[in-house]
Short mmCIF file of all heavy atoms in Angstrom, two decimals:
data_model
loop_
_atom_site.label_atom_id
_atom_site.label_comp_id
_atom_site.label_asym_id
_atom_site.label_seq_id
_atom_site.Cartn_x
_atom_site.Cartn_y
_atom_site.Cartn_z
N GLY S 23 148.87 -11.20 -5.51
CA GLY S 23 148.98 -9.96 -6.26
C GLY S 23 147.82 -9.63 -7.11
O GLY S 23 146.67 -9.99 -6.83
N ARG S 24 148.12 -8.93 -8.10
CA ARG S 24 147.13 -8.27 -9.01
C ARG S 24 146.69 -9.16 -10.12
O ARG S 24 147.37 -10.13 -10.46
CB ARG S 24 147.72 -7.01 -9.52
CG ARG S 24 149.11 -7.19 -10.10
CD ARG S 24 149.79 -5.86 -10.36
NE ARG S 24 151.20 -6.05 -10.57
CZ ARG S 24 151.77 -6.56 -11.67
NH1 ARG S 24 151.00 -6.90 -12.66
NH2 ARG S 24 153.06 -6.69 -11.81
N PRO S 25 145.57 -8.83 -10.79
CA PRO S 25 145.14 -9.56 -11.96
C PRO S 25 146.14 -9.47 -13.05
O PRO S 25 146.87 -8.51 -13.18
CB PRO S 25 143.79 -8.88 -12.30
CG PRO S 25 143.36 -8.17 -11.10
CD PRO S 25 144.65 -7.82 -10.38
N VAL S 26 146.16 -10.47 -13.92
CA VAL S 26 147.12 -10.52 -15.02
C VAL S 26 146.50 -10.41 -16.38
O VAL S 26 147.15 -10.49 -17.41
CB VAL S 26 147.94 -11.81 -14.95
CG1 VAL S 26 148.73 -11.84 -13.65
CG2 VAL S 26 147.06 -13.04 -15.07
N ALA S 27 145.14 -10.22 -16.41
CA ALA S 27 144.48 -10.12 -17.69
C ALA S 27 145.07 -9.01 -18.52
O ALA S 27 145.24 -7.86 -18.06
CB ALA S 27 142.99 -9.96 -17.48
N GLY S 28 145.30 -9.30 -19.73
CA GLY S 28 145.78 -8.25 -20.64
C GLY S 28 147.30 -7.99 -20.55
O GLY S 28 147.78 -7.09 -21.19
N ARG S 29 147.98 -8.76 -19.76
CA ARG S 29 149.44 -8.52 -19.61
C ARG S 29 150.13 -8.88 -20.91
O ARG S 29 149.87 -9.88 -21.51
CB ARG S 29 150.00 -9.39 -18.46
CG ARG S 29 151.48 -9.12 -18.26
CD ARG S 29 152.01 -10.03 -17.17
NE ARG S 29 151.42 -9.70 -15.88
CZ ARG S 29 151.71 -10.29 -14.79
NH1 ARG S 29 152.60 -11.27 -14.77
NH2 ARG S 29 151.16 -9.98 -13.64
N ALA S 30 151.04 -8.02 -21.32
CA ALA S 30 151.77 -8.31 -22.57
C ALA S 30 152.72 -9.49 -22.38
O ALA S 30 153.09 -9.83 -21.24
CB ALA S 30 152.60 -7.04 -22.90
N ALA S 31 153.07 -10.10 -23.48
CA ALA S 31 153.97 -11.23 -23.43
C ALA S 31 155.29 -10.83 -22.83
O ALA S 31 155.82 -9.74 -23.13
CB ALA S 31 154.17 -11.79 -24.83
N VAL S 32 155.81 -11.70 -21.99
CA VAL S 32 157.11 -11.40 -21.33
C VAL S 32 158.16 -12.36 -21.86
O VAL S 32 157.88 -13.54 -21.99
CB VAL S 32 156.94 -11.54 -19.78
CG1 VAL S 32 158.30 -11.26 -19.09
CG2 VAL S 32 155.89 -10.61 -19.28
N GLN S 33 159.36 -11.88 -22.06
CA GLN S 33 160.42 -12.70 -22.54
C GLN S 33 160.76 -13.77 -21.47
O GLN S 33 160.87 -13.46 -20.29
CB GLN S 33 161.67 -11.93 -22.87
CG GLN S 33 162.82 -12.71 -23.48
CD GLN S 33 163.97 -11.79 -23.83
OE1 GLN S 33 163.93 -10.63 -23.58
NE2 GLN S 33 165.03 -12.40 -24.38
N MET S 34 160.95 -15.00 -21.88
CA MET S 34 161.25 -16.07 -20.98
C MET S 34 162.60 -15.85 -20.26
O MET S 34 163.59 -15.52 -20.94
CB MET S 34 161.25 -17.42 -21.70
CG MET S 34 159.93 -17.82 -22.29
SD MET S 34 158.66 -18.06 -21.06
CE MET S 34 159.13 -19.67 -20.42
N VAL S 35 162.60 -15.98 -18.99
CA VAL S 35 163.85 -15.85 -18.19
C VAL S 35 163.99 -17.10 -17.27
O VAL S 35 163.02 -17.84 -17.13
CB VAL S 35 163.83 -14.56 -17.34
CG1 VAL S 35 163.79 -13.33 -18.20
CG2 VAL S 35 162.64 -14.59 -16.36
N LYS S 36 165.11 -17.26 -16.69
CA LYS S 36 165.34 -18.41 -15.83
C LYS S 36 164.64 -18.21 -14.51
O LYS S 36 164.52 -17.14 -13.97
CB LYS S 36 166.85 -18.58 -15.54
CG LYS S 36 167.65 -18.98 -16.79
CD LYS S 36 167.19 -20.35 -17.34
CE LYS S 36 168.08 -20.74 -18.55
NZ LYS S 36 167.59 -22.03 -19.10
N SER S 37 164.13 -19.32 -13.97
CA SER S 37 163.40 -19.34 -12.72
C SER S 37 164.34 -19.06 -11.56
O SER S 37 165.46 -19.62 -11.51
CB SER S 37 162.69 -20.67 -12.47
OG SER S 37 162.26 -20.82 -11.17
N GLN S 38 163.94 -18.21 -10.63
CA GLN S 38 164.77 -17.95 -9.44
C GLN S 38 164.82 -19.17 -8.54
O GLN S 38 165.80 -19.42 -7.93
CB GLN S 38 164.20 -16.75 -8.70
CG GLN S 38 164.98 -16.33 -7.44
CD GLN S 38 164.30 -15.21 -6.67
OE1 GLN S 38 163.39 -14.53 -7.19
NE2 GLN S 38 164.72 -14.99 -5.49
N ALA S 39 163.72 -19.91 -8.48
CA ALA S 39 163.61 -21.10 -7.62
C ALA S 39 164.34 -22.29 -8.24
O ALA S 39 164.94 -23.09 -7.56
CB ALA S 39 162.18 -21.47 -7.36
N LEU S 40 164.26 -22.43 -9.59
CA LEU S 40 164.87 -23.50 -10.32
C LEU S 40 165.67 -22.94 -11.47
O LEU S 40 165.20 -22.86 -12.59
CB LEU S 40 163.83 -24.50 -10.89
CG LEU S 40 162.97 -25.24 -9.85
CD1 LEU S 40 161.85 -26.02 -10.52
CD2 LEU S 40 163.84 -26.22 -9.04
N PRO S 41 166.90 -22.54 -11.22
CA PRO S 41 167.72 -21.85 -12.25
C PRO S 41 167.89 -22.64 -13.54
O PRO S 41 168.20 -22.07 -14.58
CB PRO S 41 169.05 -21.66 -11.55
CG PRO S 41 168.75 -21.66 -10.13
CD PRO S 41 167.62 -22.61 -9.95
#
Side-chain angles (χ1 to χ4, degrees):
R24 48 192 165 77
V26 296
R29 181 182 296 180
V32 180
Q33 184 178 1
M34 297 295 285
V35 297
K36 294 298 182 181
S37 167
Q38 181 182 348
L40 295 172

